[in-house]
Amino acid sequence: MEFSGVKRRKPWLIGDQRKASYPHSLQFYLQPPSENISLIEFENLAIDRLKLLKSVENLGVSYVKGTELYQSKLEAEIRRLKFSYRESLEDEYEPRRKDHISHFILRLAYCQSEDLRRWFIQQEMDLLRFRFSILPKDKIQSFLQDSHLHFEAISEEEKNLREQEIIASSTSLGGPKLELEYVYKIPFADALDLFRGRKVYLENGFAYVPLKDIVAIILNEFRAKLSKALALTARSLPAVQSDERLQPLLNHLSHSYIGQDYSIQGNAGKISLDQIDSLSTKSFPPCMRQLHKALRENHHLRHGGRMQYGLFLKGIGLTLEQALQFWKQEFIKGKMDPDKFDKGYSYNIRHSFGKEGKRTDYTPFSCLKIILTNPPSQGDYHGCPFRHSDPELLKQKLQSYKITPGGISQILDLVKGTHYQVACQKYFEMTHNACDQTHFNEVLKLNRFTESICSSTVIIPYGCFGNTGCLVICCHCKTS
Amino acid sequence: MEPFDPAELPELLKLYYRRLFPYAQYYRWLNYGGVVKNYFQHREFSFTLKDDIYIRYQSFNNQSDLEKEMQKMNPYKIDIGAVYSHRPNQHNTVKLGAFQAQEKELVFDIDMTDYDDVRRCCSSADICSKCWTLMTMAIRIIDRALKEDFGFKHRLWVYSGRRGVHCWVCDESVRKLSSAVRSGIVEYLSLVKGGQDVKKKVHLSENVHPFVRKSISIIKKYFEGYALVGQDILENKESWDKILALVPENILSQDHFYVSLQYNEKGDHFNFQKHHSSLQRWEYLKKAASQCPSNIKNEKCGPWLEWEIMLQYCFPRLDINVSKGINHLLKSPFSVHPKTGRISVPIDLQKVDQFDPFAVPTISSICHELDAIFTSEAEKEENQAESDIKHRTRDYKKTSLAPYVKVFEQFLENLDKSRKGELLKKSDLQKDF
């Protein structure tokens, strides 16, 4: 790909040739683009795609993926940013071209570290999953062929011979509706995630995969290919970065946020200790609320709780001095010797602020980390209430928080479906005046692409939630 | 059969490795037609010598090298490992990180001790003809799946020498499978989940996968003879309580079920007692368990519970760690078991129901047979040296080891045929004539 300093006219292909270069509304990005484009277009394409991927990320935590609401919002977003999505639309050349080029540009920016790659791959996969879900069934075969995926749909006859077995094997097929489904025959080793759980019919070394399940396989293929490609890109990156025109842009892209920049430093010192009690009931997410309550009641928290809550307090702006005072005051109420506190606990607090040991300035735990690691046991108060609480207890807790019965049942349904973050989001909506969703999304995030992608500290501008005068610090967790 | 005395092993092994071990066939197997360069030379073997001395990363140049070394070291036990990127016996000379396991057969190890919770006749290392049926069922179920579901063609089943069986899947594509796929295959073949603290180890969903359905059909053929008669799992209160522990509480407490399993004053199951044999009680239990409970929603009515019990008592239990690692070392066929003296012999799949682990020759018995033949034939032969050579090439054939080597040879024939077929296909594609 060459870049010129002068704005050039885009190459103009006539009708059929344009269609041929992008036969589908989605692609596997197997071939890099080979046009000349201007630097300005380079930058614009990259930023637009970054906006798109951020939207994909936001919608993914706000709504359950695959639901109608999610699908329609995502489609609206794609259309707004003028990317390709639907197969059947006419003259899709420009959006498809934009999609193609911008993907490869972002590869340059997001290949550089494990976390950047992981984030990029996750959003691209979600985007592909969406586009594939709206692809008309008769177009699927040709898309697969063009993507060099050797998945053959089997004939009606072959399907009928195995109808009973295929229906009995696949959990995604509801009832005997096999005539309407395409079934693909692929080597069993290519369907690992399906056959290991006995979710597909195997015969003579082949898996007979109905259309619904082939998506998972395609996504895995996509992930594997993209992962490899990013590794290759990273190796040849020095050559690209040496181009002075590109270096600043690429750096900016991989560190950029959409919207305002919220950093921990920006928060420091913005809250006082006496605000914490009221903030805990008004603005904390349930996990932190329960930790705070336990701390106040027991004048003590175990290690897991101290880590999770301590880092959170740091994230919302407690300084080291405030933190030391906060914890010491509380522990002393529990008849702890002040000297014992200084000896045993203050070191750890200073350590988490980066003032001891290897001096890492630790960031708060991400939702993913809280949900997946270190589950609480008897006597612990950390973890995610939506994940770790018994549903009955959770219900009681939500009732005590004065959530409406309708809201509670919605939340419990989401918990049953393991959509813990969406449940937390619902909780947030229920405990705050319903604010416009897009506004909420824009306002999120300390997005740092590090392992502990920050449980976001949201500094909501004055007036948004009807509070006057003071900063409402509301915290909502987000995952990568 | 000649009784086996472990103290005699050193002498017996000397004779075994000099006159009886089927080197030619063994090499023919692991060389795989010599199609891939150095495939045999890069194969790891490990030896366990006298006094438990264990040496890894043994490798050999060819059949005669293998023979010489085995005769020199007289191993008590031989394990086969992976084919590596370099000769294992030179692995210390290789740059760090470059010495990698590349290929290996897919192997399975089924051990009778894993069934201790469901067999009443024996425990731990003991086996008897009653519980051996568990191995028969395991072989039938696993082999069917490997052949019909996965399309694997070259499967060698071997008696481990004491309390279990091994399977070696030797297809060319299978030897190249990744660890992840191997784990996936074991997962596909697993149904019994949970350790000591889990009572009910099998849970079936409403949708029964064809693999499960076919496995149940196989178990059904053996269940009456093995479980109801042989193991007599419903013999008395102690034993049938174990079965009832697998019936979910909500079914057990159903009126019709509870009433039918009423206890009398002595605490015995009234109606169970009415029936006189495990067979009758099983019929009764089946009917009671499959009746649709009237006041419980979402409970499946049908044979699921019956199947879950059968599966828990009969379905094979695999050790995933043996199968998933490409570099895992497994006991070699024709190795001797140091405690029982039995030879790890191939099992004839055509006659799996008749296989009797207690009829498998021990090293002392075949050495004894050899001695008897040798002395009688030597009396006939004039030229000692000539007879010596003649005997060496046909010795095993005159002992009870012979039929087992024949099974092995049939397996090798099939491998050869496949290989020729593949080569033919390839040359056709390249239009070599």
Side-chain angles (χ1 to χ4, degrees):
Chain A
M1 210 165 148
E2 284 186 30
F3 314 110
S4 67
V6 182
K7 189 174 175 134
R8 291 168 108 260
R9 248 198 283 141
K10 296 183 208 118
W12 203 254
L13 298 175
I14 37 171
D16 277 345
Q17 270 184 301
R18 285 156 59 105
K19 264 211 178 128
S21 47
Y22 295 117
H24 300 285
S25 58
L26 74 172
Q27 57 165 298
F28 259 41
Y29 311 105
L30 297 170
Q31 285 296 339
S34 56
E35 297 178 29
N36 294 345
I37 64 169
S38 69
L39 274 176
I40 296 178
E41 185 175 15
F42 183 87
E43 183 165 349
N44 288 336
L45 288 178
I47 290 181
D48 274 353
R49 192 178 193 88
L50 188 54
K51 282 193 188 148
L52 176 61
L53 293 186
K54 295 266 180 182
S55 296
V56 168
E57 182 185 27
N58 285 337
L59 291 170
V61 274
S62 310
Y63 304 98
V64 179
K65 292 182 205 173
T67 54
E68 243 185 78
L69 202 50
Y70 172 84
Q71 302 273 93
S72 61
K73 294 226 171 225
L74 186 49
E75 179 163 343
E77 195 58 23
I78 299 176
R79 206 170 343 135
R80 182 178 77 87
L81 290 163
K82 300 205 178 52
F83 283 97
S84 60
Y85 59 102
R86 235 174 233 297
E87 193 86 344
S88 48
L89 299 174
E90 281 304 313
D91 197 18
E92 278 282 287
Y93 176 74
E94 278 306 321
R96 291 178 191 183
R97 173 181 167 272
K98 178 172 178 174
D99 181 58
H100 182 211
I101 300 178
S102 61
H103 169 90
F104 277 91
I105 298 174
L106 284 195
R107 277 197 198 182
L108 296 172
Y110 282 86
C111 64
Q112 297 174 61
S113 79
E114 204 43 60
D115 296 306
L116 287 174
R117 288 187 217 177
R118 208 181 309 153
W119 182 86
F120 182 65
I121 292 175
Q122 180 63 52
Q123 312 321 320
E124 288 284 345
M125 273 178 65
D126 283 347
L127 184 59
L128 185 69
R129 187 186 295 118
F130 167 72
R131 285 172 167 163
F132 192 82
S133 71
I134 59 175
L135 194 60
K137 300 213 165 126
D138 50 336
K139 294 279 192 304
I140 292 181
Q141 191 71 66
S142 63
F143 165 66
L144 292 177
Q145 252 171 319
D146 292 340
S147 311
H148 305 295
L149 287 172
H150 303 289
F151 300 159
E152 268 181 54
I154 57 175
S155 65
E156 276 304 307
E157 268 172 42
E158 295 215 33
K159 228 196 317 173
N160 290 334
L161 276 172
R162 301 172 174 85
E163 183 168 344
Q164 287 309 313
E165 277 86 349
I166 297 177
I167 293 177
S169 319
S170 177
T171 46
S172 64
L173 288 173
K177 287 195 252 112
L178 199 58
E179 317 89 58
L180 308 168
E181 290 275 336
Y182 280 102
V183 173
Y184 295 84
K185 178 178 166 183
I186 68 175
F188 80 91
D190 290 342
L192 178 57
D193 283 327
L194 286 177
F195 84 76
R196 70 194 304 182
R198 281 192 302 271
K199 294 192 167 59
V200 70
Y201 173 58
L202 287 188
E203 188 188 296
N204 207 26
F206 287 95
Y208 288 79
V209 189
L211 180 62
K212 285 203 187 77
D213 295 328
I214 208 99
V215 185
I217 297 178
I218 291 175
L219 287 172
N220 271 332
E221 274 284 320
F222 178 70
R223 182 207 279 124
K225 286 201 167 83
L226 185 54
S227 193
K228 254 196 211 154
L230 286 176
L232 276 172
T233 308
R235 279 204 274 275
S236 37
L237 199 58
V240 175
Q241 279 181 324
S242 64
D243 187 326
E244 297 156 355
R245 301 170 295 171
L246 297 181
Q247 194 196 24
L249 174 62
L250 292 177
N251 279 339
H252 175 65
L253 281 174
S254 61
H255 291 100
S256 74
Y257 308 112
I258 300 301
Q260 288 175 273
D261 186 349
Y262 305 108
S263 59
I264 289 183
Q265 288 80 31
N267 285 350
K270 288 231 172 89
I271 66 173
S272 67
L273 289 183
D274 42 358
Q275 283 179 293
I276 293 183
D277 280 323
S278 70
L279 281 177
S280 77
T281 51
K282 273 200 276 204
S283 310
F284 282 7
C287 52
M288 304 304 172
R289 182 173 178 172
Q290 98 184 355
L291 276 165
H292 181 77
K293 181 157 178 267
L295 177 63
R296 286 288 191 230
E297 279 175 9
N298 305 325
H299 311 299
H300 187 267
L301 272 184
R302 284 202 190 157
H303 181 258
R306 294 200 303 273
M307 287 306 293
Q308 187 174 321
Y309 190 38
L311 287 174
F312 171 78
L313 288 174
K314 183 171 105 154
I316 63 168
L318 236 57
T319 62
L320 175 57
E321 292 69 37
Q322 287 178 305
L324 285 167
Q325 192 185 351
F326 174 75
W327 291 99
K328 187 167 180 176
Q329 263 176 1
E330 200 57 48
F331 274 47
I332 287 178
K333 281 192 207 150
K335 309 284 195 280
M336 175 170 291
D337 203 307
D339 285 332
K340 182 169 180 211
F341 178 85
D342 288 332
K343 279 201 201 116
Y345 293 89
S346 62
Y347 176 88
N348 284 325
I349 298 173
R350 283 201 306 280
H351 190 276
S352 63
F353 273 79
K355 301 282 187 263
E356 299 280 1
K358 64 177 176 171
R359 305 199 183 236
T360 317
D361 198 5
Y362 293 96
T363 48
F365 293 167
S366 67
C367 281
L368 207 56
K369 181 163 180 162
I370 294 174
I371 289 172
L372 293 178
T373 61
N374 195 24
S377 14
Q378 199 63 16
D380 284 324
Y381 295 93
H382 64 266
C384 169
F386 300 103
R387 165 76 179 85
H388 297 120
S389 275
D390 179 65
E392 266 311 307
L393 284 173
L394 180 62
K395 183 171 175 181
Q396 284 171 24
K397 215 178 280 182
L398 294 172
Q399 282 166 341
S400 75
Y401 293 164
K402 310 266 195 316
I403 314 277
T404 65
I408 293 183
S409 70
Q410 273 184 53
I411 290 177
L412 291 177
D413 277 341
L414 288 168
V415 165
K416 224 200 231 172
T418 75
H419 307 295
Y420 306 116
Q421 292 119 272
V422 187
C424 193
Q425 162 117 7
K426 256 277 120 44
Y427 165 86
F428 179 87
E429 285 166 23
M430 305 260 122
T431 52
H432 298 79
N433 290 326
C435 205
D436 183 40
Q437 206 53 51
T438 44
H439 180 89
F440 177 83
N441 289 334
E442 278 174 17
V443 131
L444 280 182
K445 217 164 0 256
L446 296 168
N447 223 329
R448 284 195 178 193
F449 304 119
T450 54
E451 177 61 71
S452 42
I453 284 185
C454 186
S455 63
S456 44
T457 304
V458 175
I459 301 175
I460 294 162
Y462 296 82
C464 171
F465 295 101
N467 278 358
T468 54
C470 66
L471 266 172
V472 175
I473 298 168
C474 176
C475 305
H476 185 81
C477 302
K478 196 226 129 282
T479 67
S480 60
Chain B
M1 214 182 276
E2 193 73 12
F4 168 69
D5 179 7
E8 290 175 10
L9 263 180
E11 280 308 308
L12 293 170
L13 287 170
K14 232 162 79 179
L15 188 59
Y16 181 66
Y17 290 131
R18 210 160 55 79
R19 305 275 293 278
L20 293 164
F21 188 91
Y23 293 102
Q25 293 87 343
Y26 195 70
Y27 179 77
R28 193 174 148 205
W29 171 34
L30 294 174
N31 192 36
Y32 286 102
V35 174
V36 176
K37 198 161 167 258
N38 284 329
Y39 206 71
F40 182 79
Q41 291 73 11
H42 287 188
R43 169 83 65 173
E44 179 192 0
F45 296 84
S46 78
F47 288 166
T48 308
L49 308 178
K50 191 157 176 267
D51 299 324
D52 272 333
I53 300 171
Y54 182 67
I55 38 176
R56 268 193 77 174
Y57 300 113
Q58 302 298 293
S59 57
F60 311 103
N61 291 319
N62 49 41
Q63 180 184 328
S64 85
D65 191 17
L66 174 74
E67 256 182 81
K68 277 202 209 86
E69 287 301 306
M70 278 171 67
Q71 283 158 3
K72 187 169 87 185
M73 295 206 253
N74 228 28
Y76 273 35
K77 227 179 127 220
I78 304 171
D79 290 334
I80 301 178
V83 175
Y84 282 81
S85 52
H86 304 77
R87 283 165 197 261
N89 61 6
Q90 293 172 358
H91 74 283
N92 285 321
T93 67
V94 179
K95 188 173 77 169
L96 205 63
F99 180 68
Q100 298 286 339
Q102 293 181 324
E103 292 190 20
K104 194 174 74 69
E105 295 74 11
L106 172 64
V107 293
F108 298 94
D109 181 352
I110 308 177
D111 192 327
M112 201 71 94
T113 39
D114 293 337
Y115 296 80
D116 279 357
D117 57 318
V118 292
R119 49 176 185 150
R120 301 176 69 203
C121 49
C122 312
S123 71
S124 166
D126 298 323
I127 60 167
C128 70
S129 55
K130 278 201 243 171
C131 51
W132 184 257
T133 316
L134 284 169
M135 293 294 112
T136 310
M137 290 191 281
I139 295 174
R140 280 213 186 276
I141 290 173
I142 303 289
D143 196 68
R144 184 214 66 79
L146 294 175
K147 176 175 169 194
E148 293 175 9
D149 298 358
F150 289 100
F152 298 156
K153 296 195 172 53
H154 305 286
R155 313 165 309 276
L156 180 70
W157 286 89
V158 182
Y159 173 52
S160 74
R162 190 159 62 154
R163 60 189 192 211
V165 293
H166 300 157
C167 178
W168 296 76
V169 185
C170 305
D171 299 36
E172 186 184 338
S173 57
V174 175
R175 286 180 263 136
K176 298 180 163 71
L177 288 176
S178 70
S179 179
V181 175
R182 288 168 204 246
S183 291
I185 294 173
V186 176
E187 251 184 83
Y188 176 89
L189 298 169
S190 300
L191 265 177
V192 181
K193 304 204 172 116
Q196 272 183 344
D197 47 341
V198 176
K199 278 229 166 73
K200 190 161 164 82
K201 299 186 164 84
V202 181
H203 294 91
L204 295 178
S205 61
E206 206 167 323
N207 235 9
V208 175
H209 190 275
F211 165 75
V212 179
R213 193 176 34 83
K214 291 175 190 172
S215 304
I216 291 171
S217 305
I218 294 174
I219 292 176
K220 277 199 176 141
K221 296 196 189 122
Y222 296 88
F223 190 71
E224 189 177 305
Y226 163 71
L228 300 174
V229 178
Q231 294 290 317
D232 211 355
I233 57 175
L234 295 170
E235 180 187 7
N236 52 33
K237 182 169 191 307
E238 189 191 340
S239 62
W240 72 55
D241 270 349
K242 288 209 185 97
I243 311 283
L244 291 179
L246 306 180
V247 180
E249 194 50 53
N250 54 7
I251 292 186
L252 213 47
S253 64
Q254 279 299 284
D255 270 347
H256 70 271
F257 201 95
Y258 184 67
V259 163
S260 59
L261 288 176
Q262 244 170 10
Y263 288 92
N264 61 17
E265 312 88 62
K266 279 198 278 174
D268 303 322
H269 271 123
F270 186 62
N271 276 349
F272 250 17
Q273 265 213 302
K274 244 191 351 189
H275 302 279
H276 297 293
S277 70
S278 277
L279 273 141
Q280 291 179 319
R281 291 181 197 128
W282 177 246
E283 286 306 311
Y284 180 76
L285 184 60
K286 273 201 293 188
K287 236 182 276 172
S290 66
Q291 273 170 22
C292 290
S294 46
N295 58 342
I296 295 187
K297 307 183 281 178
N298 303 326
E299 196 58 59
K300 20 189 218 278
C301 326
W304 284 271
L305 191 55
E306 171 200 337
W307 291 343
E308 284 165 352
I309 296 174
M310 284 171 70
L311 290 166
Q312 181 151 340
Y313 273 76
C314 302
F315 189 84
R317 299 158 182 220
L318 300 171
D319 183 350
I320 189 169
N321 293 310
V322 169
S323 310
K324 76 177 179 194
I326 295 183
N327 52 6
H328 187 96
L329 290 148
L330 187 65
K331 185 148 182 271
S332 168
F334 297 105
S335 185
V336 182
H337 196 293
K339 295 211 175 74
T340 63
R342 299 220 190 258
I343 315 286
S344 289
V345 292
I347 298 175
D348 187 352
L349 279 175
Q350 310 299 328
K351 303 192 189 131
V352 72
D353 286 330
Q354 291 85 13
F355 182 83
D356 178 8
F358 299 101
V360 170
T362 62
I363 188 173
S364 31
S365 66
I366 51 176
C367 287
H368 185 74
E369 284 169 12
L370 193 66
D371 277 339
I373 297 163
F374 185 64
T375 34
S376 75
E377 291 215 353
E379 282 159 6
K380 296 188 206 145
E381 288 287 340
E382 239 102 55
N383 191 335
Q384 197 69 337
E386 191 191 291
S387 77
D388 218 26
I389 297 169
K390 256 202 245 169
H391 286 296
R392 195 169 299 160
T393 52
R394 288 171 292 144
D395 280 343
Y396 75 83
K397 283 202 186 153
K398 296 178 179 164
T399 67
S400 347
L401 199 57
Y404 301 98
V405 180
K406 214 162 179 330
V407 174
F408 191 49
E409 282 171 343
Q410 185 58 55
F411 167 75
L412 296 172
E413 277 298 306
N414 291 337
L415 268 175
D416 275 342
K417 249 188 260 174
S418 262
R419 226 177 350 252
K420 286 207 184 77
E422 277 305 309
L423 288 173
L424 219 63
K425 249 200 268 175
K426 276 202 197 113
S427 73
D428 275 349
L429 287 170
Q430 291 165 349
K431 307 220 194 301
D432 280 348
F433 293 107

